[in-house]
């Protein structure tokens, strides 16, 4: 052992011991029981209905980008819920433990969480929300949509895609198991030196934090390579760069960020691991270490990361606004340039996360100017969306409401971001909840865009629409919750409330914190509305079935495929003639033209190697956390052996013959014709009348001048 | 350009692909791999940034500095071993061009042996340092020195395993699309290690020796 | 570009290897490293100038290797690799360069140490 470990170590079990299971924790013990019961229930139900073969064949071994994307989104939603519970716990502690007279239970002096546990809750909240909720949700959408938007059959590397999913799942499993075996880190989601050093965090929490994030970084890097190679090498014939759907451009710029920046995170965390495992002195307070170096390396990743999550959200908004304004996106070229500019400039601003750390006025000014510059392309996007909607035929369905909500939150978050870009202001509000409110506004922009996309693309993936009423109800409840939680938070930030307070010493802030707690209750109602949405939609799915062009006014290529998308995406690859190909075909009356003959197509096989490798990475992460060296070596060898095995086995794939294709296509077209006949939908709902989605009686909008300011946006 | 300013005439447009378009499997593989290599380069760039910050006088905390323990000519021998290894791999790839299986295998064997030589020299150097009491725990500056150089060495190690795997695959499968694709990506990987090594050698070993 | 059924050894990426190219890359980088080592060990040049010289040696060696070994050029087949490399280069410089600037400014402002050399 190169380092001194508190709590002992044995060769067989490393640091693992019975005492590491928190059986006496009043919150975790009942939770563990509930989880075990829930798990037994789920596993029991699957066994009872005999679905294991189905699960294994169709989902766990799949390399189909759509199924993988759905699983990414499922992981993201589950983790979003877990992260929300963490947020609820934070709010409750801060609403309860206010002032010296506040009561304390469960061993806490004030509130119900001890400082050490509160630290774990907000650290887990941050890590989960950013890396295990937002990122998988976005990656899931990119996975599903990008290949069908560019006319490809799958991603460039289907097996690698599956691997990325299961590695991300392994990371999720690792952070979940930290609830019940050991602790989690209490150094905040991004960590500080020297609190994460062994001396100040002698437990395993920081190790869980390190390896969870390393696994997510690995999964996301692999995914990034995949998406970039797909976009660059696998576009359908005729899909020139100028005809690429805007969401694909957004994905391209986002994944360029991912590819370039995640290695910095891997290094930053690996050096922390070197300090903790090998006794190195990268970030120690003595012997030549440099504390600020960690912060620097982390944020070299950290800042591009936030642009990695927001650019796909912008792309989603750029798809939704034109569809429900029945107009092409205003300023396509400037949107593309803006995305690229954001990706580029985002690399130059990372110091704004630690203006106060002492780099001096010259460095601070340079990074401040760069930060302000990055607001310009974002502003361009906001104006372009506004001009897209201007004089459009607007449909205020649930997806559009979420998108508009996202736009509104972007304004608030973006403007407060510009305020924070100024070091003079930053020095005043650094580490206060003003910053917290700012970045939550931005992250909520992403969440809103995600929910909008769920509603928008759900019919494409599953063949039926989600229930409008409950989707809108959820939107309004969620928005009310957002307002109630974050408006007071901005105020508290200006009043000087620091972030991460487990004990709030100033009772003047109490009313605000109570309002925020009420906001959390409203959020809880929106979560219930979400469950109602799922239940009602699935119950009524037969009534809400859709054809290829689910919304009637869709514009981009994915709406050419059947709904739900067949596993081969396109029977015959389309030849692209325009940007917004489906809108072009529909406006020229050629959207129902089908291919006249079919050819054999080559598809990749499913493989169990990906999920087994994912499982092995989970075990490796666990073994590293608990320093069970023999298990580390064993799993590492197993991983290498399996990778080599897979390399030898390869995958010849299989052929779908032209005859089989023709049969499947005819069946899909027959189903679509039936859906078209039976469906006649008039929307209704809370505070917004959805227009019927098949209004063929109105002339296409394109004949009207579409530019409000006389600029010809044909360029 | 609005979607309706397409210059394609809708009445005569080809809507469905008839050209049996298939994407190029090998170049898709090598391009993706090249992007991975660039991200690997970013990994090293970050390590260099960390090393740069930790190579001031105070980073050594009064303890041993590279000026004291670096042996330039010894490391130059390592450099030559690596460069020769890269050369022989390249010549092996040249043999592939002429469908010369034995030439390729000879190139792989030579690359492997020389790579092992590089690694052996490196390990010997590290063990020698350890025997002097110079480890990652000595000081921040030494931590950075050792981690940066050994991360490169770890890459070489995994590359050597890969060379062995490729030898087995070439012998058992011949020149299939997958095998050729992997040989190309391994070539790129191996050559990148030489490039990284130039930076490591000059800015870590030589510059450290000078300071 | 359909190479699905062709002989993979005829692929342009295989065909572009030349033994001349590999020898050139090898020779240039070896000689430059030899020069750099020799200059450093003989201590013939003062430190700052020496740093410049060996940095230039490294730079040229790397450029030679990138061209001869990685086949980075603007031919149709390699263009995307070149684009990717050109995209990454500034980021490498930013990571190392801005970090270096940041910390030298930091040390200037916060560390008052006599005899601080670098």
């Amino acid at each position: 052992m190169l380092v001194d470990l508190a709590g002992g170590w044995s060769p067989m079990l490393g640091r693992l011991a019975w005492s590491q299971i928190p059986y006496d924790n009043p919150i975790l013990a009942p939770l563990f029981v509930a989880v075990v019961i829930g798990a037994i229930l789920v596993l029991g139900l699957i066994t009872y209905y005999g679905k294991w073969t189905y699960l294994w064949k169709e989902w766990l071994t799949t390399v189909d980008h759509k199924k993988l994307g759905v699983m990414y989104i499922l992981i993201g939603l589950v983790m979003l819920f877990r992260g929300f519970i963490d947020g609820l716990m934070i709010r409750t502690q801060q609403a309860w433990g206010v002032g010296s007279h506040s009561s304390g239970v469960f061993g806490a002096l004030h509130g119900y969480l001890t400082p050490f546990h509160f630290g774990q809750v907000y650290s887990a909240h941050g890590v989960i929300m950013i890396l295990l909720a937002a990122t998988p949700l976005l990656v899931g959408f990119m996975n599903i949509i990008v290949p069908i938007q560019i006319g490809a059959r799958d991603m460039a590397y289907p097996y690698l895609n599956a691997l990325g999913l299961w590695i991300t799942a392994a990371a999720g499993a690792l952070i979940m198991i930290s609830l019940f075996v050991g602790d989690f880190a209490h150094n905040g989601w991004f960590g500080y030196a020297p609190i994460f050093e062994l001396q100040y965090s002698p437990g395993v929490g920081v190790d869980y934090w390190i390896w969870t994030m390393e696994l997510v970084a690995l999964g996301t890097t692999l995914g990034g390579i995949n998406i970039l190679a797909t976009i660059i090498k696998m576009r359908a014939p005729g899909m020139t760069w100028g005809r690429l759907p805007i969401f694909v451009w957004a994905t391209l710029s986002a994944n360029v960020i991912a590819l370039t920046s995640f290695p910095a995170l891997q290094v930053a965390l690996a050096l922390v691991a070197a300090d903790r495992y090998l006794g190195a002195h990268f970030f120690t307070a003595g012997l030549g270490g440099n504390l600020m170096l960690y912060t620097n390396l982390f944020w070299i990743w950290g800042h591009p990361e936030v642009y990695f999550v927001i650019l796909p959200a912008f792309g989603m908004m750029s798809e939704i606004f034109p569809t429900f304004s029945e107009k092409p996106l205003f300023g396509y070229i400037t949107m593309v340039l803006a995305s690229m500019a954001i990706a580029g400039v985002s690399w130059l601003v990372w110091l704004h996360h630690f203006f106060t750390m002492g780099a001096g006025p010259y460095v601070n000014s340079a990074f401040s100017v760069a930060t302000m510059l990055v607001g310009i392309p974002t502003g361009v996007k906001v104006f372009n969306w506004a001009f897209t909607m201007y004089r459009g035929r607007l449909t205020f369905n649930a997806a559009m409401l979420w998108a508009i909500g996202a736009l509104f939150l972007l304004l608030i978050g973006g403007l407060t971001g510009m305020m924070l870009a100024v070091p003079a202001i930053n020095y005043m509000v650094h580490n206060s909840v003003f910053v917290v409110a700012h970045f939550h506004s931005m992250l909520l922009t992403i969440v809103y865009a995600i929910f909008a996309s769920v509603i928008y693309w759900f019919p494409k993936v599953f063949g039926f629409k989600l229930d409008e009423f409950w989707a809108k109800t959820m939107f309004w409840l969620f928005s009310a919750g957002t307002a109630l939680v974050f408006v007071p938070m901005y105020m508290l930030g200006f009043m000087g409330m620091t972030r991460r307070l487990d004990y709030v010493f100033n009772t003047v802030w109490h009313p605000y914190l109570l309002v925020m707690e009420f906001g959390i209750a409203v959020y809880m109602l929106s979560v219930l509305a979400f469950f109602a949405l799922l239940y009602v939609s699935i119950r009524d799915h037969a009534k809400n079935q859709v054809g290829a062009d689910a919304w009637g006014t869709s514009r981009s290529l994915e709406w050419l495929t059947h709904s739900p998308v067949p596993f081969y995406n396109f029977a015959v690859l389309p030849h692209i003639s325009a940007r917004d190909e489906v809108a072009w075909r529909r406006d020229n009356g050629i959207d129902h033209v089908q291919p006249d003959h079919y050819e054999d197509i080559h598809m990749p096989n499913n493989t169990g190697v990906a999920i087994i490798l994912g499982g092995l990475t989970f075990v490796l992460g666990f073994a590293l956390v608990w320093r069970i060296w023999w298990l580390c070596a064993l799993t590492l060898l197993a991983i290498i052996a399996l990778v080599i095995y897979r390399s030898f086995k390869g995958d010849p794939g299989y052929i779908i013959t032209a005859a089989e294709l023709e049969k499947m296509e005819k069946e899909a077209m027959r189903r679509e014709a039936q859906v078209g006949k039976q469906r006649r939908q008039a929307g209704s709902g809370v505070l917004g009348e959805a227009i019927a989605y098949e209004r063929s009686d109105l002339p296409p909008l394109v004949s009207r001048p579409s530019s409000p300011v006389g600029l010809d946006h044909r360029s | 350009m609005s979607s309706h300013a397409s210059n394609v005439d809708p009445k005569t447009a080809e809507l469905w692909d008839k050209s049996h378009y298939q994407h190029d499997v090998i170049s898709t593989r090598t391009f993706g791999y090249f992007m991975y290599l660039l991200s690997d380069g970013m990994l090293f760039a970050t390590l260099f940034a960390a090393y740069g910050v930790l190579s001031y006088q105070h980073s050594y905390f009064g303890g041993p500095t590279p000026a004291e323990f670096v042996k330039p000519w010894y490391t130059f021998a390592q450099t030559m071993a690596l460069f020769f290894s890269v050369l022989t791999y390249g010549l092996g790839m040249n043999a592939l061009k002429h469908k010369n299986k034995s030439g390729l295998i000879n190139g792989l064997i030579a690359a492997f042996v020389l790579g092992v030589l590089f690694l052996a020299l490196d390990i010997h150097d590290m063990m020698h340092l350890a025997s002097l009491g110079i480890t990652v725990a000595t000081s921040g500056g030494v931590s950075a020195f050792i981690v940066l150089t050994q991360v490169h060495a770890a890459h070489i190690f995994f590359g050597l395993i890969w060379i062995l795997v490729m030898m087995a695959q070439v012998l058992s499968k011949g020149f299939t699309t997958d095998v050729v694709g992997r040989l190309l990506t391994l070539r790129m990987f191996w050559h990148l290690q030489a490039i990284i090594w130039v930076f490591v050698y000059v800015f870590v070993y030589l510059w450290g020796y000078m300071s | 570009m359909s190479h699905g059924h062709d002989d993979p050894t005829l692929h342009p990426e295989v065909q572009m290897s030349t033994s001349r190219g590999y020898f050139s890359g090898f020779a240039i980088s070896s000689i430059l490293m030899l020069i750099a080592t020799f200059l450093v060990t003989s201590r013939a040049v003062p430190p700052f100038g020496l740093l410049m010289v060996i940095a230039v040696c490294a730079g040229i060696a790397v450029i030679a290797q990138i061209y001869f070994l990685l086949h980075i050029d603007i031919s149709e087949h390699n263009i995307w690799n070149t684009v990717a490399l050109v995209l990454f280069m500034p980021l490498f410089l930013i990571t190392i360069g801005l970090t270096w600037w940041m910390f030298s400014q930091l040390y200037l402002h916060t560390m008052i140490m006599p005899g601080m050399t670098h």
Side-chain angles (χ1 to χ4, degrees):
Chain A
M1 271 299 161
L2 291 160
V3 293
D4 293 319
L5 290 171
W9 177 88
S10 78
M12 198 57 196
L13 288 173
R15 301 181 75 181
L16 202 51
W18 285 113
S19 58
Q20 294 286 354
I21 298 179
Y23 46 80
D24 56 351
N25 185 304
I27 298 170
L28 291 174
L31 180 64
F32 180 68
V33 172
V35 166
V36 168
I37 293 177
I40 293 176
L41 214 65
V42 167
L43 295 173
L45 278 172
I46 299 176
T47 316
Y48 179 75
Y49 284 112
K51 289 287 187 187
W52 282 110
T53 318
Y54 164 77
L55 255 186
W56 179 257
K57 278 215 180 92
E58 294 292 327
W59 291 94
L60 300 179
T61 58
T62 186
V63 295
D64 179 355
H65 68 100
K66 302 179 287 298
K67 291 209 171 113
L68 291 172
V70 168
M71 285 192 280
Y72 262 116
I73 293 177
L74 279 174
I75 292 177
L77 287 174
V78 168
M79 296 309 268
L80 189 68
F81 184 67
R82 152 92 205 254
F84 167 68
I85 299 295
D86 283 325
L88 191 156
M89 290 175 77
I90 298 172
R91 283 289 112 243
T92 309
Q93 170 67 20
Q94 288 193 335
W96 185 342
V98 184
S100 48
H101 296 294
S102 58
S103 59
V105 297
F106 296 153
L109 270 178
H110 301 280
Y112 69 103
L113 287 172
T114 63
F116 182 61
H117 284 114
F118 185 70
Q120 294 175 51
V121 171
Y122 63 67
S123 306
H125 174 75
V127 173
I128 288 175
M129 285 305 213
I130 298 181
L131 290 174
L132 289 164
T135 302
L137 282 166
L138 292 166
V139 169
F141 274 108
M142 294 193 276
N143 248 308
I144 297 175
I145 301 300
V146 165
I148 45 181
Q149 266 196 349
I150 61 173
R153 290 234 160 77
D154 205 323
M155 290 284 210
Y157 317 114
Y159 161 65
L160 203 68
N161 207 3
L163 198 57
L165 170 76
W166 294 115
I167 291 177
T168 308
L174 204 56
I175 204 173
M176 290 303 233
I177 208 171
S178 75
L179 271 176
F180 302 121
V181 189
D183 287 319
F184 194 66
H186 61 126
N187 44 281
W189 85 272
F190 55 81
Y192 286 102
I195 193 172
F196 53 48
E197 298 284 355
L198 213 47
Q199 200 180 2
Y200 303 106
S201 291
V204 295
V206 175
D207 300 321
Y208 268 119
W209 172 74
I210 292 174
W211 299 116
T212 303
M213 290 182 57
E214 289 278 19
L215 284 179
V216 173
L218 180 61
T220 313
T221 309
L222 294 177
I225 295 173
N226 214 341
I227 294 186
L228 288 174
T230 307
I231 296 175
I232 291 175
K233 293 279 182 185
M234 294 181 62
R235 284 164 288 137
M239 173 81 66
T240 59
W241 288 108
R243 294 176 181 162
L244 207 62
I246 192 74
F247 180 67
V248 180
W249 274 114
T251 306
L252 183 71
S253 40
N255 280 284
V256 165
I257 294 178
L259 186 69
T260 53
S261 65
F262 270 85
L265 174 70
Q266 295 181 307
V267 168
L269 293 173
L271 297 184
V272 178
D275 276 7
R276 287 177 66 86
Y277 284 80
L278 302 173
H281 288 290
F282 284 101
F283 311 123
T284 55
L287 277 108
N290 190 317
L291 306 180
M292 187 165 152
L293 178 63
Y294 170 76
T295 307
N296 177 53
L297 293 178
F298 181 89
W299 287 111
I300 289 178
W301 165 77
H303 192 82
E305 154 71 7
V306 307
Y307 286 95
F308 166 64
V309 288
I310 200 129
L311 281 172
F314 287 166
M316 290 165 176
M317 290 158 75
S318 300
E319 292 283 343
I320 292 175
F321 284 127
T323 301
F324 296 116
S325 314
E326 294 184 41
K327 277 177 70 196
L329 181 68
F330 182 87
Y332 174 88
I333 297 220
T334 51
M335 282 302 232
V336 170
L337 290 174
S339 300
M340 293 297 162
I342 291 174
V345 181
S346 75
W347 254 96
L348 294 167
V349 302
W350 76 86
L351 185 121
H352 69 228
H353 296 274
F354 50 105
F355 274 135
T356 58
M357 238 178 185
Y362 299 116
V363 177
N364 278 1
S365 311
F367 279 96
S368 165
V369 169
T371 309
M372 287 190 259
L373 280 177
V374 85
I376 298 177
T378 317
V380 164
K381 284 180 175 282
V382 170
F383 282 115
N384 281 357
W385 290 320
F387 289 146
T388 304
M389 289 192 278
Y390 179 70
R391 296 183 73 178
R393 188 179 299 137
L394 300 178
T395 306
F396 287 103
N397 60 8
M400 189 63 155
L401 287 178
W402 281 108
I404 294 176
L407 184 55
F408 189 65
L409 277 169
L410 173 63
L411 283 170
I412 299 176
L415 288 172
T416 51
M418 287 298 109
M419 288 169 65
L420 288 167
V422 180
I425 299 181
N426 198 291
Y427 269 66
M428 304 301 291
V429 293
H430 173 75
N431 218 42
S432 71
V433 295
F434 182 83
V435 180
V436 177
H438 155 72
F439 66 70
H440 277 87
S441 303
M442 301 308 295
L443 288 165
L444 283 168
T445 304
I446 296 170
V447 169
Y448 273 62
I450 287 173
F451 282 128
S453 306
V454 168
I455 296 167
Y456 180 58
W457 276 310
F458 190 92
K460 174 52 56 187
V461 178
F462 291 104
F464 63 96
K465 285 205 182 102
L466 289 169
D467 184 73
E468 266 298 301
F469 171 76
W470 282 106
K472 283 181 173 143
T473 308
M474 182 194 171
F475 167 75
W476 287 112
L477 284 171
F478 197 95
S479 301
T482 304
L484 285 167
V485 173
F486 293 103
V487 170
M489 198 184 275
Y490 279 114
M491 296 177 178
L492 283 174
F494 278 136
M495 287 194 265
M497 177 170 165
T498 329
R499 59 192 287 192
R500 299 179 174 139
L501 290 176
D502 66 291
Y503 163 62
V504 183
F505 51 86
N506 191 341
T507 50
V508 168
W509 300 335
H510 205 178
Y512 298 87
L513 292 164
L514 288 172
V515 170
M516 290 164 71
E517 185 69 4
F518 178 65
I520 286 283
V522 176
Y523 265 132
M524 206 43 172
L525 289 176
S526 79
V527 171
L528 295 174
F530 179 68
F531 288 132
L533 170 68
L534 289 177
Y535 172 72
V536 170
S537 307
I538 293 175
R539 182 194 71 191
D540 295 344
H541 78 274
K543 277 191 286 175
N544 292 330
Q545 305 231 311
V546 293
D549 185 358
W551 301 102
T553 56
S554 315
R555 307 190 69 82
S556 43
L557 187 65
E558 75 271 28
W559 302 101
L560 198 61
T561 60
H562 306 299
S563 306
V565 186
F567 64 94
Y568 47 82
N569 295 354
F570 297 93
V572 178
L573 293 182
H575 193 277
I576 313 300
S577 313
R579 197 184 295 162
D580 288 350
E581 175 77 7
V582 163
W584 179 79
R585 291 192 185 198
R586 186 178 57 237
D587 292 336
N588 287 301
I590 48 178
D591 53 330
H592 293 297
V593 176
Q594 296 295 327
D596 50 8
H597 94 289
Y598 301 95
E599 301 265 324
D600 291 352
I601 56 180
H602 181 233
M603 296 293 291
N605 274 317
N606 283 1
T607 174
V609 172
I611 187 172
I612 297 175
L613 276 175
L616 284 172
T617 49
F618 168 72
V619 176
L620 179 62
F622 189 82
L624 281 167
V625 167
W626 292 101
R627 309 190 188 213
I628 309 172
W629 305 125
W630 64 267
L631 191 57
C632 289
L634 194 64
T635 32
L636 200 54
L637 280 169
I639 289 172
I640 294 174
L642 200 54
V643 168
I644 294 178
Y645 165 76
R646 162 78 188 186
S647 161
F648 271 93
K649 198 157 86 80
D651 176 30
Y654 66 97
I655 305 280
I656 309 178
T657 60
E660 284 168 354
L661 257 187
E662 194 162 353
K663 209 167 66 138
M664 289 191 280
E665 283 291 294
K666 287 212 161 21
E667 172 60 32
M669 284 186 264
R670 190 195 59 80
R671 203 188 67 83
E672 239 160 77
Q674 210 173 31
V675 164
K677 274 198 237 43
Q678 68 180 209
R679 214 170 47 84
R680 185 78 235 168
Q681 219 183 70
S684 64
V686 179
L687 290 174
E689 291 300 305
I691 301 174
Y693 300 122
E694 279 192 351
R695 297 194 64 170
S696 49
D697 51 311
L698 293 174
L701 206 54
V702 67
S703 54
R704 297 195 231 155
S706 43
S707 163
V709 289
L711 290 168
D712 188 342
H713 67 267
R714 237 171 298 198
S715 53
Chain B
M1 198 173 30
S2 89
S3 63
H4 307 285
S6 165
N7 44 19
V8 178
D9 177 10
K11 292 187 203 41
T12 58
E14 187 188 315
L15 292 179
W16 301 101
D17 173 53
K18 289 185 169 52
S19 63
H20 315 299
Y21 169 77
Q22 277 181 56
H23 70 278
D24 179 349
V25 173
I26 287 185
S27 76
T28 307
R29 181 188 215 115
T30 54
F31 176 63
Y33 196 76
F34 191 70
M35 285 196 285
Y36 158 70
L37 284 182
L38 288 173
S39 81
D40 207 42
M42 177 55 76
L43 196 129
F44 278 105
T46 315
L47 281 170
F48 272 105
Y51 177 76
V53 169
L54 293 177
S55 57
Y56 286 77
Q57 192 185 39
H58 51 85
S59 312
Y60 298 100
F61 210 63
T65 68
E68 293 163 23
F69 59 74
V70 164
K71 293 175 294 212
W73 288 111
Y74 181 92
T75 321
F76 183 74
Q78 271 183 261
T79 308
M80 290 316 293
L82 187 63
F83 283 176
F84 270 111
S85 177
V86 162
L87 175 67
T88 51
Y89 190 94
L91 295 177
M93 288 305 286
N94 204 42
L96 176 67
K97 190 165 92 170
H98 301 118
K99 293 204 224 302
N100 180 351
K101 193 187 268 198
S102 58
L104 173 63
I105 294 288
N106 288 339
L108 288 177
I109 293 176
F112 180 78
V113 167
L114 290 159
V116 169
L117 178 61
F118 173 89
L119 214 53
L121 288 171
D122 176 78
I123 292 173
H124 179 261
D125 195 18
M126 287 297 121
M127 284 173 57
H128 172 69
L129 284 182
S131 70
L132 292 174
I134 302 174
T135 63
V136 288
T138 306
S139 67
V142 174
S143 300
F145 179 91
I146 292 180
V147 166
L148 179 50
T149 54
Q150 297 320 297
V151 164
H152 178 266
H155 278 82
I156 298 290
F157 175 72
F158 283 108
L160 290 173
I161 296 178
W162 193 0
I163 291 180
L164 287 176
V165 169
M166 288 325 295
M167 278 197 259
Q169 287 199 355
V170 168
L171 288 171
S172 62
K173 294 173 185 236
F175 296 146
T176 65
T177 308
D178 278 341
V179 168
V180 169
R182 286 183 199 124
L183 286 168
L184 288 169
T185 54
L186 176 52
R187 190 204 81 220
M188 285 166 26
F189 179 80
W190 208 237
H191 290 178
L192 184 81
Q193 299 316 307
I195 294 175
I196 304 281
W197 178 255
V198 169
F199 286 119
V200 171
Y201 181 61
V202 170
F203 291 106
V204 178
Y205 284 95
L206 289 185
W207 188 21
Y209 182 73
M210 279 163 50
S211 304
Chain C
M1 249 180 310
S2 168
H3 295 269
H5 308 288
D6 292 342
D7 178 0
T9 58
L10 293 175
H11 192 277
E13 291 196 35
V14 177
Q15 294 297 316
M16 69 184 173
S17 306
T18 62
S19 53
R20 212 181 120 261
Y22 291 128
F23 274 115
S24 308
F26 168 78
I28 294 175
S29 39
S30 301
I31 292 171
L32 284 166
M33 290 300 100
L34 183 64
I35 293 173
T37 316
F38 187 70
L39 284 174
V40 165
T41 50
S42 69
R43 298 180 193 276
V45 185
F48 185 69
L50 185 55
L51 181 59
M52 284 292 112
V53 170
I54 63 172
V56 166
C57 285
I60 299 175
V62 162
I63 291 172
Q65 285 179 332
I66 287 176
Y67 179 72
F68 286 112
L69 301 183
L70 285 184
H71 304 286
I72 295 295
D73 52 41
I74 46 175
S75 69
E76 190 225 335
H77 228 87
N78 296 323
I79 187 74
W80 276 110
N81 288 0
T82 309
V83 166
L85 183 69
V86 164
L87 192 95
F88 265 82
M89 289 290 232
L91 302 179
F92 298 151
L93 295 171
I94 287 169
T95 305
I96 299 173
L98 285 181
T99 300
W100 174 79
W101 181 42
M102 194 190 297
F103 280 86
S104 56
Q105 287 284 300
L106 175 77
Y107 292 152
L108 204 66
H109 285 110
T110 61
M111 294 184 66
I112 307 147
M113 264 171 65
M116 199 179 94
T117 57
H118 192 210

